[in-house]
Amino acid sequence: MSDCDLAILIVSYNVRDLLRRCLRSIDESTASAPLRCRTIVVDNASGDESAAMVRAEFPHVELIALPSNLGFAGGNNVGLRNVLGADLQALAAAPRAILLLNPDTEVVGDALRAMLRYLDAHSHVAVVGPQLRYGDGSIQSSRRRFPTIGTLFWESTLLEQWRPRNRWAMRYRYGDQPTNEPQPVDWLVGAALMVRPTTIARAGLLDTAFFMYSEELEWQSRISAAQPGPHTIIYLPNAVIVHHEGKSSEQNLARRHINFNRSKLRYARMRWGRLVAWPLRVFLLATYIIQLMIEAGKWLVGHKRVLRRQRIAQYSSILRSGL
């Protein structure tokens, strides 16, 4: 048997101060009651001395300092192999659960124990995730239904900017369900996912072709396929984790858009094929052309020219990528 109840994997990239707060919150959460916990930080070649900070301030935390940035999926797979070994089927020394946790999060109270207790009490559940909140305490959307073709065009695109409460995006984010009740969901945002080792053995590791974004969607769709049932993935609102969303990816906004939409296109190809992915790509590029023209027009009339210049450069970079 494993000598720990819970292994926590944190893949970090250039968010040293947030990572420090995250690790402190874990220590505070596990100090008040017995919980044998193993914390592993996989540093994706950060340039902000994150690895040095972990070594100096958290000597009890295991550090894996990678020579290059493998992305969210690649970094987590390194950590998962470290915990489970090369042979995912050999689970004799596995912990009771593994938590994939973003570095821009802070554990609140006994959230770790609450999720672990829920897994222990519900053998049919494969994944449990907390209620995510912003730093101001407001609830952050973390529940998702599997996307439809309409979702691809109406969620996180220019169309949603123009019509924020459209029915595709609302349904996708469980806007029709209460936020304060435990409930089965199709999938959960990957900022904090507690997963059984047996679940990982059945479904496999994350798909590293998703460098960032949509990897948790694809992974949880495989998890659901490997363990079908109405209560495979559970949202648990009495476990709360603060999520300072997007702090790694916002360091390069153009790259964030490119990664997000490339992952969306990859998922569309996997799910529906090129007959959906190709028009989606044309649509996405068209939306950035429209936004570029809007920003250029505002620049020409002299409206906040520094901001407009920045956005023109951002949209031009996205368009040059071809997604």
Side-chain angles (χ1 to χ4, degrees), residues 7 12-13 32 34 37 45 68 75 90 92 111 139 142 147 176 183 202 207 212 269 302 304:
S12 184
Y13 178 68
S32 59
C37 186
S68 60
I139 295 175
S142 63
D176 56 341
Q183 59 200 259
R202 280 194 297 267
D207 184 347
M212 186 179 293
R269 284 194 300 272
K304 297 182 180 179

Side-chain angles (χ1 to χ4, degrees), residues 139-156:
I139 295 175
Q140 186 177 125
S141 172
S142 63
R143 301 166 297 162
R144 300 287 187 269
R145 287 186 171 95
F146 290 131
T148 64
I149 293 175
T151 306
L152 300 177
F153 288 85
W154 280 94
E155 188 271 333
S156 296

Side-chain angles (χ1 to χ4, degrees), residues 80 84 88 98 100 195-205 219:
L80 289 170
L84 299 176
L88 298 182
I98 299 173
L100 275 59
V195 190
R196 295 183 190 276
T198 52
T199 295
I200 299 169
R202 280 194 297 267
L205 300 175
W219 195 43

